[in-house]
Amino acid sequence: MNGNNPYAGPPGVTDAGEPTPVDLSPEQERRLRRTVAGIVSRTESYLPDGYAVGSELSVGTDGPQATVAVNPPAGHPVTAGFTPDLDELEAGIADSDADEVARGLAASAAIQVMDAVGDVTPTAK
């Protein structure tokens, strides 16, 4: 099965076919953590008590990845993930983009509760 593996190579050869992981500077990581924390707090501000909001950060071969998740009191959890490029981290992610993610997550979580409860008439279409 060695020929089917894209990371295959002779033993002892480092990174045989494996992409090089992206390293963030401490400042880039701080900015990303601050942005994600802002999205979490904005999402919480749009929702009533009973909704659990959390986040996860990771850095892989594709660069930094952030996921923000909302677990509503009823229904399925909803998530939003994004992979900002290094230029965005240098300049900072726009507040409007972070707010858009937070509003979208809050709305999706509210819809999950409405679907789980049933018999809720939407006020608009």
Side-chain angles (χ1 to χ4, degrees):
M1 296 304 286
N2 203 18
N4 293 336
N5 185 346
Y7 304 111
V13 176
T14 57
D15 301 331
E18 189 173 320
T20 306
V22 176
D23 289 326
L24 295 178
S25 71
E27 180 58 31
Q28 288 172 325
E29 188 173 344
R30 270 193 295 277
R31 284 184 182 172
L32 182 58
R33 287 188 186 284
R34 228 177 293 131
T35 299
V36 172
I39 292 171
V40 168
S41 68
R42 288 178 190 187
T43 304
E44 289 172 333
S45 73
Y46 292 130
L47 296 168
D49 291 339
Y51 290 78
V53 184
S55 65
E56 181 178 86
L57 296 174
S58 63
V59 179
T61 56
D62 294 335
Q65 299 169 347
T67 303
V68 180
V70 179
N71 191 10
H76 300 287
V78 293
T79 61
F82 59 97
T83 306
D85 60 19
L86 295 178
D87 294 335
E88 282 181 313
L89 290 177
E90 289 295 327
I93 297 171
D95 284 342
S96 60
D97 292 340
D99 199 44
E100 182 179 343
V101 171
R103 283 187 305 219
L105 275 170
S108 295
I111 288 173
Q112 286 298 318
V113 171
M114 289 172 56
D115 285 345
V117 171
D119 291 335
V120 177
T121 306
T123 58
K125 289 190 177 192

